[in-house]
Structure formats: C-alpha cells, structure tokens
Amino acid sequence: MDCVCIEAHTFLQIPSLSVDLALQQPRSIGKSRWAMAGQEHRCRRIVLFPLPFQGHISPMLQLAELLHARGLAVTVLHTGFNAPDATRHPELTFVPIHESSFPDEVTSLGTDIVTQLLALNAACEAPFREALASLLRGGQDVACAVVDGQCYSALRAAHRLGVPALVLRTDSAATFSSMLAYPRLRDAGFVPVKEERLDEPVPDLERLRARDLIRVDGSDTDALCGFIARVADAVRASASGVVINTFERMEASELAKIQRELSRPAFAVGPLHLLSQAPAEQSLHAPDRGCLAWLDDHPPRSVLYVSLGSVACVDRGAFVEMAWGLARSGVSFLWVVRPGLVGGVPEVPPLPDGFSEEVRNRGKIVSWAPQREVLAHAATAAFWTHCGWNSTLESVCEGVPMLVQPCFADQMVNARYVTHEWGVGLEVGEEIERGRVAMAVTKLMTGEDAAQMRGRAYHLKILASAATSLPIDSLIHYISSL
Ligand code: UDP
C-alpha cells in the first residue's frame, strides 16, 4: 500500500461543536450524588475477569472503577501471570484464580497471538469456574460477571454456573462486528481471503476491504477462524450483553449493527480512560518519565511519537528501515523501543550503527513511555502507531493524527477506520522502507493534508470529551434487571 490521499467528503460527519458541548456532562461525576443513587446496588457484586495483557487489563480496571463509583461492589478475578497491582485499587477486591502455571504458548514472547489465546482459554476455564463457584458458595450476591471478550471459556463457565454474564470488548465496535460476521464470511468462501480479492469490499462490512479483516500473519488460518468462531458462538450462546470501549458518536452504525445482530444490548461505555477516575493505569513496564521533560523543551506540535504498543513486533529489517526513515524525515521524534519489539527477542534491540549519532539532536529513544501523557503533551504533533485499540482511542481523545502501521489482528480494522472513516491518519505502507517512511512522516507532519487532518482529529477529540457516563448508568440498570 502506498500512502493514501484522503478526501474529506468520505469521512464521518462531525456534528457542530455547539451541539456537542450542549450535550456534554461533567466527566467526573460527584461521587456522593451517584453513591446515593447507587445505594440500592451497594451489596450487589460484579465479578470481572480481564485477559492478562496490557491492552486488556487497563480498560477492565477502568470499568471496575466506574462500577464501584456507582455503588457496586467489585471483585476482580485474575491470573497470577501479569497480575494487576491490587495496591493501586484499594476499593476493589482482587482474587487470584490460581491457574496452574501457564504453558509456554501463553507466556512466550514469540508465540503467535491465536495460539496464545486458545491456550489461555483452555488453561483458565477450570480455575475461573472454581474461583467463581467459590464466591457463590461463600454467599456472595453476584449480580453478574463481566469477562474479557476474548475469554470465551470464562463466559461459558459463568453462564453454566447460572451467573448472568456480559463481555467487555476492549477493541472497537467495528472489529467486534467483523468478528461476528467472520464465520458467515468463511461459510461463503470469502475467508481465507484469496490474494486477488484483497481489495474487494467485504460483504455486509462495506467500510472494510478484504485486506482489512482481522489476520495474524504466520498463524494457521483454521486456528484463527476457529478462535473467532468460538468468541462469536460464546457471545450468542452465553452473553446477556456486550460492553464496548467506544463511544456512540464515533461508531453509531457499528453499534446499531451489533445490537441488531445479537438482539441484545451493546453498551458503548468509552472512552473508559477518560470517564474513569482510575489512577493512571498500571503498566507492565516502568515508564521513562524523562521523556516528558524532553518534550517540554520542544515547540508545540513539533514531535512525532512512535510506538507499536506492548505486543507487536517487527523483523530486524523493518526496524532498521523505521530508524533510517525517521532519520531521513528530519523531524524530532520520541520512539518507544521496548524489549521484544524486534523478532520477539526479549531484550531491547540494538539501534543500527551510526543512528544515535545521526539523530542525537532530535531523537529520543525510551523503552516504555507514559503514553497518555505523551499524547496529551503540547509538543506532540502526531503518532506513528500500530493501531492497537487503546492507542487509537488515546490518540483520538487527544486530537493527535496518526501514521498507521497495523501489524496483526484488529489493528487492520482500526487502521482502516483511522484513515478512511474518520480521516485522521495516513498509512505508512505495507512495505517499511526508509524513503517511503520519510515521505509519509513528512506528509503527516507538514504536508498539504496535515492541517485538515489535524482539524478532523480536533473535532473527534471534542466528540470524545463530550461522551458521557449515561451508557454506564444504563448498563447498571440493565445488570439490576438480570
Ligand atoms: N503504552 C504505554 N507506553 C508505551 C507503549 C504503550 O503506556 O510505551 C500503553 C498505551 O497507552 C496503551 C497500551 O499500552 O494503553 C497498549 O494498548 P494497545 O491496545 O494500543 O496495544 P497492544 O499493546 O494491546 O497491542
């Protein structure tokens, strides 16, 4: 793919600012008012179960805080692997499920994500069921369970124990909608996608081309189809509803489609990191806060932030091209080069020879950044991202345009929406090559379309900040009706 020129008329129509602000509710709702409104729920307990990865734990804990702030008691069941830091959330109850040690497929850096998720589901089912059953035996009044949307085995287990269960989708409504469609597309012979059909629109998912569907390169297609089918089947069979970390105005038609398809409610409770009063979320790595002082020394909107999230990795060749592309672009940049970024090797990858000297005056490399603060910093102009959903949403909420480099899974869908639905980003291109990288970076930072893209990003930010907690309140009413 080459960098794509974006035409304004194809993008989501952003309603006028005055209307948005009129609808805006305070983000931090007075606790006492809601605690009073929620008193009747205080003794009822919600049990949450996050998938033990960075991009899943944070939104689940943000949801936990929102539910607790409205008077519900919250227990977080969790694995010992990547366990959340209970001390940061004293108002929540944390209970380990005591899984036997995970097989290597779950914990190894190099394992593909489908194998990882299948193994994780298999390993968690019995210990999750036992932990939940133990809460019930202990007389806890469990109103419902909310489990991560990829944990089909936990969803099934809760349902079998007679506990109403919902799933939290930590990806977008568009992604979830494409997962629900996936088994149909497979039956119709559309997936696995043939090379010559990659640019065809996907039946019933008109905003996506075949190449934008969830994929995991190098992973067995049957395993991927099987995993998605399990997720979709479990939701149909066992979920009372779906909770999604998105907001209505960004994904209204995708949300409506999900509700139609499942005939049960979908609650767009996001952006969770904006609405929740959770402490800055726990990071699986220690952030290098020195980069904020470095940003302080830069003029407004002058720095490109580069990060491919917590899991994605690139091969050494692509990494080297990224580096020299950044050097050639001439822009100032802050780059997260974390352990595992190259080829899944657990160390921080060495930079190409001569690179540090070349960019000494305008490049800063860290192994983990306080990302939300970086995106909110005035010096940050744009974000070169893998389009994990949290990163995408965080960028949207700060009005930061994106250079998209999706690597696998839902990142393809998110990238397509960023560039072609919301019009707030450009593609870096499928082939990572220094000349193309430099061109794409320059285009995003200073090219003809840059100002328009920044304008659209700003309007999307306004919509995000106008998202209210009403869907959370509806969710709580719904839970009390189960
Ligand atoms: N993140 C961070 N510092 C970094 C890189 C990532 O704090 O240097 C956070 C980021 O803010 C986001 C999460 O890690 O909340 C990554 O989640 P995402 O869904 O974007 O990607 P994933 O890591 O799941 O692929």
Side-chain angles (χ1 to χ4, degrees):
M1 279 183 291
D2 285 317
C3 296
V4 171
C5 211
I6 298 180
E7 293 165 308
H9 69 270
T10 57
F11 304 125
L12 175 76
Q13 293 303 304
I14 311 281
S16 84
L17 190 57
S18 53
V19 173
D20 301 327
L21 293 179
L23 290 172
Q24 187 167 10
Q25 305 251 331
R27 235 188 253 160
S28 51
I29 293 163
K31 215 166 186 167
S32 55
R33 184 173 133 224
W34 284 93
M36 276 172 61
Q39 280 307 328
E40 68 270 25
H41 304 295
R42 180 56 83 185
C43 57
R44 302 222 72 194
R45 184 165 293 275
I46 309 280
V47 173
L48 304 183
F49 184 57
L51 191 75
F53 296 110
Q54 179 79 55
H56 295 252
I57 295 171
S58 303
M60 187 63 94
L61 293 180
Q62 288 152 2
L63 177 67
E65 294 287 352
L66 283 166
L67 294 172
H68 178 267
R70 280 155 184 74
L72 287 151
V74 179
T75 294
V76 180
L77 296 182
H78 64 87
T79 59
F81 169 67
N82 283 346
D85 181 356
T87 60
R88 301 172 75 94
H89 304 271
E91 59 291 338
L92 309 176
T93 306
F94 287 84
V95 178
I97 64 169
H98 295 303
E99 76 274 9
S100 354
S101 60
F102 278 143
D104 285 350
E105 302 95 271
V106 174
T107 53
S108 305
L109 268 176
T111 313
D112 84 71
I113 191 82
V114 176
T115 308
Q116 211 164 27
L117 289 171
L118 289 166
L120 210 128
N121 269 281
C124 284
E125 182 159 15
F128 170 83
R129 187 179 51 238
E130 182 42 38
L132 183 55
S134 158
L135 291 182
L136 297 173
R137 280 196 302 273
Q140 301 270 3
D141 177 16
V142 178
C144 86
V146 182
V147 306
D148 187 282
Q150 312 293 44
C151 294
Y152 54 82
S153 67
L155 175 61
R156 211 164 43 202
H159 185 64
R160 285 187 185 149
L161 285 171
V163 175
L166 292 95
V167 291
L168 171 64
R169 296 295 325 178
T170 60
D171 42 21
S172 69
T175 292
F176 185 51
S177 185
S178 76
M179 288 178 84
L180 291 174
Y182 214 85
R184 259 195 327 271
L185 294 171
R186 191 180 189 194
D187 292 348
F190 195 79
V191 286
V193 179
K194 296 192 181 59
E195 191 68 27
E196 64 275 17
R197 301 188 75 175
L198 280 172
D199 287 314
E200 282 184 26
V202 180
D204 293 337
L205 300 171
E206 52 291 328
R207 288 179 172 88
L208 300 179
R209 301 159 303 173
R211 66 168 72 248
D212 305 316
L213 284 171
I214 290 178
R215 66 168 193 262
V216 180
D217 291 337
S219 172
D220 178 44
T221 310
D222 285 338
L224 175 63
C225 289
F227 169 73
I228 293 177
R230 283 176 204 212
V231 168
D233 290 350
V235 167
R236 289 200 168 85
S238 307
S240 300
V242 183
V243 183
I244 309 181
N245 187 15
T246 188
F247 56 100
E248 175 76 25
R249 285 181 164 178
M250 191 164 70
E251 294 205 279
S253 63
E254 289 75 12
L255 286 159
K257 193 172 201 162
I258 290 168
Q259 305 212 85
R260 270 199 312 277
E261 174 136 10
L262 292 177
S263 308
R264 66 202 80 174
F267 300 91
V269 297
L272 282 168
H273 72 278
L274 279 193
L275 294 167
S276 119
Q277 295 176 351
E281 68 263 27
Q282 170 191 6
S283 223
L284 296 176
H285 310 281
D288 179 340
R289 303 189 61 79
C291 63
L292 296 173
W294 181 85
L295 284 173
D296 287 344
D297 289 338
H298 286 76
R301 288 210 300 262
S302 63
V303 174
L304 175 71
Y305 171 57
V306 187
S307 165
L308 301 184
S310 64
V311 187
C313 63
V314 291
D315 60 34
R316 179 85 201 158
F319 176 71
V320 169
E321 293 304 308
M322 285 176 79
W324 288 118
L326 284 169
R328 200 179 272 192
S329 73
V331 307
S332 299
F333 62 88
L334 168 62
W335 187 10
V336 177
V337 177
R338 63 161 165 76
L341 178 62
V342 173
V345 177
E347 285 81 40
V348 174
L351 296 167
D353 288 344
F355 175 71
S356 301
E357 294 72 26
E358 175 84 21
V359 300
R360 185 181 306 118
N361 296 325
R362 59 187 174 82
K364 170 100 180 142
I365 313 279
V366 294
S367 60
W368 192 254
Q371 180 164 303
R372 278 166 52 187
E373 289 167 80
V374 168
L375 289 170
H377 198 287
T380 303
F383 182 13
W384 178 353
T385 172
H386 70 310
C387 282
W389 184 239
N390 292 288
S391 294
T392 306
L393 210 47
E394 287 160 11
S395 205
V396 159
C397 289
E398 298 301 340
V400 176
M402 288 166 257
L403 187 61
V404 306
Q405 184 189 342
C407 299
F408 63 89
D410 65 320
Q411 296 155 21
M412 315 296 174
V413 180
N414 302 336
R416 183 68 177 171
Y417 270 68
V418 165
T419 56
H420 285 76
E421 176 68 3
W422 304 316
V424 295
L426 294 176
E427 292 161 350
V428 69
E430 226 155 62
E431 189 202 339
I432 305 296
E433 183 278 321
R434 62 191 73 183
R436 286 165 178 244
V437 166
M439 233 161 58
V441 168
T442 313
K443 197 168 175 182
L444 181 70
M445 301 280 284
T446 55
E448 270 174 32
D449 297 336
Q452 276 188 333
M453 220 169 339
R454 253 203 315 275
R456 284 191 291 267
Y458 174 74
H459 285 297
L460 207 47
K461 169 186 170 148
I462 297 296
L463 290 191
S465 65
T468 72
S469 304
L470 291 177
I472 287 279
D473 299 327
S474 308
L475 170 65
I476 290 175
H477 280 116
Y478 180 65
I479 288 173
S480 60
S481 75
L482 290 172

